[in-house]
Amino acid sequence: MTPQNDTKQRKAEHVQIVLNENVSGQGITTGFEKYRLVHEALPDIDFDSISLNTRFLSRNIATPFLISSMTGGTQATGDINRVLATAAQERGWTLALGSMRVAIENPETHSTFQMRPYAPDIPILVNLGAVQLNKGMGVEHCRQIVEIAEADGLILHLNSMQEAFQPDGDTNFSGLLKKIEKICTGLNTPVGVKEVGWGIHGTLARKLYDCGVHFIDVAGAGGTSWSQVESFRSTPMLKKAAKAFLDWGIPTAECIHDIREKNPSETLIASGGLQNGVDAAKSIALGANLAGFGRFLLRDAVNDPTKLVEKMSQVELELKLAMFGVGANTIDSLSQKMIHKIS
Ligand SMILES: Cc1cc2nc3c(=O)[nH]c(=O)nc-3n(C[C@H](O)[C@H](O)[C@H](O)COP(=O)(O)O)c2cc1C
């Protein structure tokens, strides 16, 4: 199999595994259940005045929600991207596309990432594995994928452990910070960095922001476990090893708290296992600017576009209800509200 086909097939397999197998971590949670927003019996706001408007990448956006990077590269995954893009446009969510390494390797796949016609008014983010910067990719490749997708930003993903659980994964992660810095300096587009489900701690976040990274998406633990996903397509030894990593990673809520404590003002996205608008409200009160949903949206994106839009509206309603419950009628005001850690 050529490397291009290999990349395409892997991405298609990921979707099937995530839809059909148990790929959640075990013995670890997002940590949101350890936090309580403080109920305000007299909220002193009109529910009808609650607004989800906020700002991201120096522009106004209708909601603080993001569809996390998932897919593209084959006809079927291109269809999923179109459904996600159409729903994101309708609801005013930001859309992140899956890794575009395949688009660099194979121009025939470009249309599976070209979602601007379906989503003219929302931020679109493209995605590439940071480790590809150790395999000959650089600023020009990043510029190319931004142009293909007419994107507003680039996300570089850090997926060291996922690569390690792939039989032929790319596992040389040395020296990447300097290369990430070069991308931030050389690209005329904001650059973000995310994990894929094991989280980013505050000290690494500080280093990344210091390199010029515009935003960090924690993609913390408690949701999809990529050692589990890869175990379904791996060698017997790696499959066995994956069982020992079921509770690996930094819970999403911990990442947000730690990053915000060490980085008071930079842009931060909460994701990794979010299941509803209350998780999003807690994320924002803990210091996140946006809240991202991945696997939670995938099944409906594949099976039922109407249900997908309903699910996104449901999350928005839950966030508004939580905002009413704490007496916040703007996202900014929610971010100032107290949140208690249950000991
Ligand atoms: C089918 C699938 C494919 C994914 N592909 C990518 C990818 O290409 N690039 C990336 O950065 N993250 C990728 N992710 C990881 C998600 O963006 C997200 O960080 C992770 O799934 C944790 O969020 P969740 O628990 O809400 O799913 C993928 C996730 C899923 C479910």
Side-chain angles (χ1 to χ4, degrees):
M1 196 180 294
T2 62
Q4 291 96 309
N5 286 339
D6 196 23
T7 311
K8 272 165 87 172
Q9 183 169 339
R10 184 172 57 246
K11 301 306 289 180
E13 279 176 13
H14 282 158
V15 170
Q16 287 313 315
I17 293 168
V18 165
L19 289 176
N20 297 318
E21 307 290 349
N22 180 3
V23 293
S24 298
Q26 281 172 32
I28 190 161
T29 64
T30 57
F32 287 120
E33 73 286 353
K34 299 199 177 106
Y35 288 93
R36 290 257 187 287
L37 288 159
V38 180
H39 174 69
E40 191 58 67
L42 182 53
D44 201 22
I45 58 168
D46 177 354
F47 186 92
D48 291 338
S49 74
I50 295 172
S51 162
L52 299 186
N53 293 355
T54 187
R55 286 183 69 74
F56 179 54
L57 303 181
S58 310
R59 61 187 277 188
N60 293 325
I61 52 173
T63 76
F65 293 120
L66 166 82
I67 298 180
S68 296
S69 295
M70 283 191 281
T71 202
T74 61
Q75 197 182 338
T77 55
D79 290 344
I80 298 175
N81 274 345
R82 272 183 284 280
V83 170
L84 292 172
T86 306
Q89 168 73 22
E90 184 174 337
R91 300 308 314 168
W93 289 36
T94 294
L95 173 69
L97 300 168
S99 170
M100 284 182 68
R101 175 180 161 192
V102 67
I104 296 167
E105 292 170 349
N106 186 348
E108 282 156 37
T109 65
H110 287 185
S111 65
T112 69
F113 295 101
Q114 287 168 325
M115 296 303 130
R116 195 45 96 194
Y118 307 93
D121 302 317
I122 55 165
I124 293 181
L125 307 172
V126 290
N127 182 294
L128 188 68
V131 72
Q132 297 308 318
L133 305 177
N134 272 350
K135 299 202 75 200
M137 291 197 188
V139 174
E140 276 316 311
H141 298 93
C142 294
R143 188 168 295 138
Q144 191 189 339
I145 60 173
V146 167
E147 281 171 8
I148 293 167
E150 298 175 62
D152 302 281
L154 164 76
I155 302 174
L156 295 171
H157 68 257
L158 301 176
N159 67 336
S160 53
M161 293 294 276
Q162 181 193 2
E163 295 286 347
F165 275 95
Q166 287 175 16
D168 299 312
D170 297 320
T171 48
N172 177 11
F173 275 69
S174 60
L176 278 180
L177 205 56
K178 276 261 161 288
K179 293 185 179 172
I180 291 172
E181 187 168 13
K182 269 196 180 158
I183 303 295
C184 295
T185 316
L187 197 69
N188 236 347
T189 307
V191 177
V193 170
K194 75 185 280 284
E195 233 282 345
V196 297
W198 285 296
I200 292 176
H201 57 65
T203 308
L204 174 59
R206 185 65 264 154
K207 287 185 194 165
L208 289 164
Y209 289 128
D210 287 344
C211 283
V213 165
H214 283 74
F215 60 93
I216 288 174
D217 177 344
V218 303
T224 309
S225 158
W226 280 89
S227 46
Q228 274 306 97
V229 177
E230 295 299 348
S231 76
F232 289 97
R233 36 187 310 280
S234 206
T235 63
M237 276 183 85
L238 283 170
K239 204 177 169 73
K240 193 165 177 198
K243 290 206 169 68
F245 286 82
L246 278 167
D247 65 354
W248 193 260
I250 314 171
T252 298
E254 260 179 51
C255 295
I256 305 164
H257 181 263
D258 187 37
I259 294 182
R260 195 40 99 211
E261 200 170 60
K262 297 186 172 80
N263 310 274
S265 57
E266 288 82 356
T267 305
L268 180 59
I269 302 177
S271 79
L274 271 65
Q275 296 294 315
N276 54 52
V278 179
D279 288 345
K282 289 180 182 178
S283 298
I284 292 166
L286 281 167
N289 303 96
L290 299 192
F293 293 78
R295 182 160 55 107
F296 175 75
L297 301 174
L298 187 62
R299 188 171 304 283
D300 290 328
V302 173
N303 294 335
D304 191 339
T306 307
K307 262 199 184 157
L308 173 68
V309 173
E310 277 170 20
K311 201 168 207 179
M312 292 162 73
S313 314
Q314 174 79 27
V315 168
E316 290 164 30
L317 172 65
E318 288 162 357
L319 174 58
K320 281 190 177 175
L321 288 165
M323 289 170 73
F324 193 55
V326 298
N329 59 358
T330 63
I331 295 298
D332 203 34
S333 150
L334 173 60
S335 71
Q336 312 294 324
K337 292 291 173 188
M338 265 193 307
I339 182 157
H340 280 168
K341 183 145 196 212
I342 306 157
S343 43

